[in-house]
């Protein structure tokens, strides 16, 4: 059995496929731009945190930059956002939110996030004490 497609249907199918490919390329470009913006926010966060590279030290701006980077999916920003929430640096102290960022960081295989999460479980910070979870996350942070 041979499939025959009329030429006008073939043109329509080809145009549809080209449109689909272009839209996928556009989505990838937008994702890449968002990733670059998240990295830029992270870098600015460190500049504000330390008062470097022409930035005046400002913990509130540092926290906002780290949080923007974390919300943009930049994994290294997850644990830094959590740390600033834990310490109340540049934002109101919120151990529950810090614990959530540490969890997200740890699950993304970030060793520092795994270490901070282990501390949370060990001391019951933002969660119930769970020594087995603490031990498991300490081990993961070392591997």
């Amino acid at each position: 059995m041979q499939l025959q497609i009329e030429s006008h249907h073939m043109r329509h199918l080809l145009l549809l496929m080209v449109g689909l490919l272009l839209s996928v390329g556009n989505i990838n470009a937008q994702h890449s731009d968002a990733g670059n913006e998240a990295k830029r926010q992270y870098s600015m966060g460190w500049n504000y945190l330390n008062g470097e590279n022409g930035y005046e030290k400002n913990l509130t701006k540092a926290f906002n930059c780290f949080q923007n980077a974390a919300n943009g999916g930049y994994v290294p920003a997850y644990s830094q956002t959590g740390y600033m929430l834990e310490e109340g640096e540049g934002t109101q102290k919120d151990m529950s939110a810090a614990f959530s960022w540490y969890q997200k960081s740890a699950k993304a295989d970030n060793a520092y996030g795994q270490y901070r999460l282990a501390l949370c479980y060990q001391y019951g910070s933002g969660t119930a004490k769970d020594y087995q979870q603490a031990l498991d996350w300490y081990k993961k942070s070392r591997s």
Side-chain angles (χ1 to χ4, degrees):
M1 181 174 149
Q2 190 174 14
L3 182 64
Q4 292 184 348
I5 301 176
E6 293 182 30
S7 64
H8 71 280
H9 289 297
M10 182 60 87
R11 279 193 302 260
H12 180 69
L13 182 61
L14 286 172
L15 287 173
L16 183 64
M17 290 173 64
V18 168
L20 180 61
L21 289 173
L22 289 175
S23 66
V24 167
N26 189 34
I27 290 169
N28 287 337
Q30 288 173 352
H31 181 71
S32 177
D33 289 345
N36 289 337
E37 177 58 20
K39 287 179 186 177
R40 190 180 73 75
Q41 287 287 317
Y42 182 74
S43 179
M44 279 186 4
W46 282 109
N47 287 328
Y48 279 122
L49 184 67
N50 298 309
E52 297 174 337
N53 299 316
Y55 289 77
E56 189 172 320
K57 186 172 183 168
N58 185 317
L59 295 180
T60 301
K61 287 183 179 181
F63 173 75
N64 289 335
C65 288
F66 287 128
Q67 188 174 43
N68 289 339
N71 287 332
Y74 192 60
V75 173
Y78 296 170
S79 55
Q80 186 60 36
T81 300
Y83 182 79
M84 292 187 82
L85 283 161
E86 180 178 357
E87 297 298 319
E89 291 184 0
T91 188
Q92 187 173 355
K93 194 173 192 172
D94 185 342
M95 199 55 225
S96 177
F99 176 78
S100 293
W101 280 113
Y102 291 148
Q103 274 188 312
K104 193 169 184 174
S105 179
K107 289 177 182 177
D109 290 327
N110 179 279
Y112 183 69
Q114 292 168 341
Y115 170 75
R116 300 301 305 181
L117 185 62
L119 287 171
C120 290
Y121 280 119
Q122 181 179 354
Y123 295 105
S125 301
T127 190
K129 283 184 182 181
D130 186 330
Y131 295 119
Q132 186 59 55
Q133 283 279 0
L135 182 61
D136 291 346
W137 285 111
Y138 279 128
K139 287 179 182 177
K140 287 178 186 176
S141 74
R142 294 186 53 157
S143 57

